[in-house]
Amino acid sequence: MISQQRKRKGLFMILPAIVLFLVMTIYPFIYMIYNSFTNLDLSKKGTGQFIGLKNYFEIFQDRLAISSIEFTILLVLIAVPLEMIFGLGLSYLLRDLFGEKVLRSLFLIPMMVPAAVGGFGWKMLFNFIFGPINYFLGLLGFQPIEWFGKLNSARMAVMIVEIWQWTPFVFLILYAALQALPKDILDAGKVDGASGWKLFMYIELPLLRPIIYVTLLLRIIDVLRAFDTVYMTTYGGPGSATSTWSFYAYKVTVSYGWNIGYGSALCVILVIVSAILINTLTRILNIGKELGLSKE
């Protein structure tokens, strides 16, 4: 048993970290919630009055906000599943392959590249006039594509960059999980006649399921706050076609306006939606039970 004196001493030691956490995290979050109920606009005088839920009602009438929601949903429904599929496929195919260590390091490069550098590089690759992608499409007999000039192509380009950058993250986690699977279970499966694809589908994949679910949640959380890829490639264009929710909140509060009240409301909605979505997925996928954290 830990004595009361040691408990008090331990609490005293971590007190600075608790205070720092409250000052740097909790207070700004509460202040943001308060601002979401005001008309605070740093570009105008005489603002900061309490206006109730007016900012929240305006969100549902804001065409740009609705467009940002649509693109964020597309990233969750298209980019994230493709990242999971590609990451799982690479982790399976890479095992016991010649040059495995070298290939593993190469696959991780996109994740290690800073978002600013990666986004700028892809912007050059997608360039309509001198971009290599359009050049190779021309060699194959296709017409050049205005990647950042049209709605569908711009959205596809951002998704390609997102998948390129974050598939290695999924690969890294699932590859490590595959390496850590209990050998006795795999050996027992091989003795029973399972090998290759059947061994993976009926033994390894079920064992990987908890890790897959957690990785999926991590990617969804990250995509919901996607910002840097959009900022470095399309800046939300054309129009607001590739603006994510986080990027639109940035534009409202910092870029083309200083409407702190409305931007705070956008951020609060994002937090609420993220919490509801993650909790719902956690219940549906039964992650607590899969990880052995729940007795139910």
Side-chain angles (χ1 to χ4, degrees):
M1 296 292 291
I2 301 176
S3 65
Q4 292 296 323
Q5 184 178 0
R6 292 192 63 184
K7 286 183 179 179
R8 287 194 293 269
K9 186 177 180 181
L11 180 61
F12 177 77
M13 295 294 289
I14 65 171
L15 187 60
I18 295 175
V19 173
L20 182 64
F21 175 77
L22 293 174
V23 172
M24 301 298 294
T25 305
I26 303 301
Y27 172 73
F29 182 70
I30 295 174
Y31 187 61
M32 179 186 71
I33 294 175
Y34 168 76
N35 283 332
S36 70
F37 296 104
T38 70
N39 62 351
L40 181 61
D41 189 332
L42 299 183
S43 65
K44 301 177 182 178
K45 294 182 179 180
T47 60
Q49 290 81 20
F50 183 81
I51 58 173
L53 297 173
K54 184 178 179 181
N55 287 326
Y56 292 93
F57 290 137
E58 286 185 5
I59 292 175
F60 299 100
Q61 301 173 357
D62 187 345
R63 182 181 57 82
L64 298 179
I66 300 300
S67 177
S68 300
I69 294 173
E70 290 175 355
F71 184 59
T72 304
I73 292 174
L74 285 177
L75 286 176
V76 172
L77 296 180
I78 298 177
V80 172
L82 288 176
E83 291 168 10
M84 298 298 299
I85 293 171
F86 293 152
L88 181 60
L90 287 173
S91 62
Y92 172 73
L93 295 173
L94 189 62
R95 292 184 305 167
D96 302 324
L97 202 63
F98 178 75
E100 177 182 347
K101 293 183 179 179
V102 176
L103 291 173
R104 182 178 60 200
S105 301
L106 292 175
F107 287 152
L108 296 180
I109 289 177
M111 186 178 67
M112 295 185 290
V113 173
V117 177
F120 181 79
W122 277 99
K123 192 172 184 178
M124 296 298 100
L125 291 173
F126 281 122
N127 187 276
F128 179 72
I129 299 175
F130 56 81
I133 293 178
N134 275 342
Y135 172 76
F136 286 111
L137 287 176
L139 293 179
L140 296 173
F142 296 99
Q143 293 295 322
I145 300 174
E146 293 185 57
W147 288 100
F148 298 138
K150 297 181 180 179
L151 185 146
N152 291 330
S153 59
R155 287 183 169 181
M156 184 185 300
V158 172
M159 288 184 188
I160 290 173
V161 178
E162 189 74 16
I163 292 169
W164 168 82
Q165 186 167 29
W166 291 109
T167 294
F169 172 78
V170 178
F171 159 75
L172 180 63
I173 294 178
L174 298 185
Y175 178 81
L178 274 173
Q179 300 299 318
L181 291 179
K183 301 297 182 182
D184 53 343
I185 296 179
L186 300 180
D187 291 339
K190 292 176 182 178
V191 170
D192 290 337
S195 62
W197 182 248
K198 288 185 177 180
L199 183 69
F200 176 74
M201 286 298 297
Y202 297 106
I203 297 179
E204 292 179 321
L205 191 58
L207 292 173
L208 287 175
R209 190 168 57 189
I211 305 301
I212 291 174
Y213 288 166
V214 172
T215 307
L216 176 64
L217 283 180
L218 291 175
R219 285 303 304 134
I220 290 175
I221 293 171
D222 203 42
V223 164
L224 288 174
R225 56 187 181 86
F227 172 85
D228 41 20
T229 300
V230 175
Y231 182 87
M232 291 305 301
T233 53
T234 63
Y235 207 75
S240 60
T242 59
S243 176
T244 60
W245 190 262
S246 297
F247 185 75
Y248 182 60
Y250 158 78
K251 290 177 73 174
V252 168
T253 54
V254 178
S255 181
Y256 65 76
W258 293 89
N259 195 338
I260 304 299
Y262 187 61
S264 297
L266 289 169
C267 294
V268 170
I269 291 292
L270 177 61
V271 171
I272 293 173
V273 170
S274 300
I276 293 174
L277 179 59
I278 297 305
N279 280 304
T280 302
L281 286 174
T282 301
R283 290 179 178 274
I284 292 175
L285 301 177
N286 206 4
I287 291 179
K289 187 177 180 179
E290 292 284 352
L291 294 174
L293 303 177
S294 174
K295 297 180 180 179
E296 299 181 0

